[in-house]
Amino acid sequence: MVVAAAPAPCPNPWFPMEEGLSLTYRAGRSSELVLATKDVAPAADGTVKATLAVSLKGRSGQTDLTCDSEGVRTGLGGLEGTLLSASGMDVQVVNAEGAAVPAPSVMVLGGTWKNSLSVKLQPPARKGGLRPIIATTFDKEATVVGEEEVTVAAGTFKALKIKNITTARASRPGSEGRSMESFMWFAPDVGIVKLTTDGETNLELLKVDRPNAKVKPAAIQGGAKKKAVKPTKS
């Protein structure tokens, strides 16, 4: 009996780390979120590192990306930390466990994974305003519950549907948390295409921009151009 080999962990099709890839989303009712990948650097051991630039509501920031056997991780502790940073909050990651997106072998029907993020949040500085520090922990359990076509502004995609149960609680022992259910759709070679909470769309893919393909040499495009033949005088 031949056992099929597990798919290589990198590149991860569910979180493509492609140089110049830019994904534009509608976040909330009208805000625009842009995620752009740059400085992609594959390593000899099969891992890949890159930088993810984030732009939201006129604010911008960036974080490190790492793809390894566990999946894709961000320097800000997952997608939640990355979005919090772009919102204008000062984010200090106290502890982060688990991948933002797991390895391809987990992204199958019935696949499950967990991640946890503990942060200290501080609102933007305002003249005369207070800047309290809020310590919060987010625990998330995710399950692949199906495969379906999903239509968003950027088009129709065949995607995996992920059910998330996220519990937010104060970062102190014994504190009670509040849980929330959400759904995400991931398309291969694109990543997240949609996120909903309580039936309301929180994130929707508007467009996908990839670098222009390299121009092929004339010989490959259709052969070298023929030289014009000058008419001879009679």
Side-chain angles (χ1 to χ4, degrees):
M1 179 178 178
V2 178
V3 179
C10 303
N12 190 320
W14 307 105
F15 197 132
M17 291 164 59
E18 178 184 333
E19 186 69 40
L21 175 64
S22 179
L23 305 175
T24 302
Y25 298 88
R26 177 179 59 79
R29 295 184 181 276
S30 58
S31 298
E32 189 173 275
L33 167 70
V34 180
L35 303 179
T37 305
K38 60 181 182 178
D39 304 331
V40 178
D45 61 0
T47 62
V48 180
K49 293 185 180 296
T51 299
L52 182 68
V54 185
S55 175
L56 176 66
K57 295 182 179 180
R59 302 184 180 93
S60 60
Q62 62 182 37
T63 183
D64 296 332
L65 288 176
T66 301
C67 177
D68 56 25
S69 60
E70 299 298 318
V72 177
R73 294 175 285 110
T74 79
L76 287 172
L79 301 174
E80 293 81 5
T82 302
L83 295 177
L84 284 170
S85 177
S87 70
M89 300 279 280
D90 287 341
V91 181
Q92 178 188 349
V93 177
V94 178
N95 185 55
E97 299 178 3
V101 176
S105 59
V106 179
M107 291 288 279
V108 295
L109 187 61
T112 62
W113 68 96
K114 297 180 180 180
N115 55 39
S116 179
L117 172 66
S118 295
V119 293
K120 289 183 178 179
L121 306 174
Q122 194 170 24
R126 293 180 180 178
K127 187 176 181 180
L130 298 176
R131 300 187 67 203
I133 296 177
I134 305 168
T136 305
T137 296
F138 300 94
D139 295 316
K140 184 170 72 175
E141 297 183 17
T143 305
V144 181
V145 295
E147 184 178 16
E148 60 187 38
E149 285 193 346
V150 58
T151 299
V152 293
T156 299
F157 299 86
K158 190 173 183 180
L160 289 181
K161 184 178 181 180
I162 313 298
K163 177 182 177 180
N164 299 314
I165 301 295
T166 304
T167 302
R169 54 184 172 81
S171 297
R172 59 176 182 270
S175 61
E176 294 185 0
R178 180 180 178 183
S179 296
M180 177 177 62
E181 181 181 273
S182 63
F183 291 92
M184 301 176 77
W185 286 261
F186 283 80
D189 300 320
V190 175
I192 299 173
V193 295
K194 187 177 180 181
L195 165 66
T196 66
T197 305
D198 293 331
E200 181 176 345
T201 300
N202 308 112
L203 202 66
E204 178 184 0
L205 185 64
L206 300 178
K207 63 178 179 177
V208 179
D209 292 315
R210 283 188 156 92
N212 293 327
K214 294 181 179 179
V215 178
K216 296 182 179 180
I220 298 178
Q221 290 181 331
K225 294 182 179 179
K226 295 181 180 180
K227 293 183 179 180
V229 179
K230 294 182 179 180
T232 57
K233 294 182 179 180
S234 56

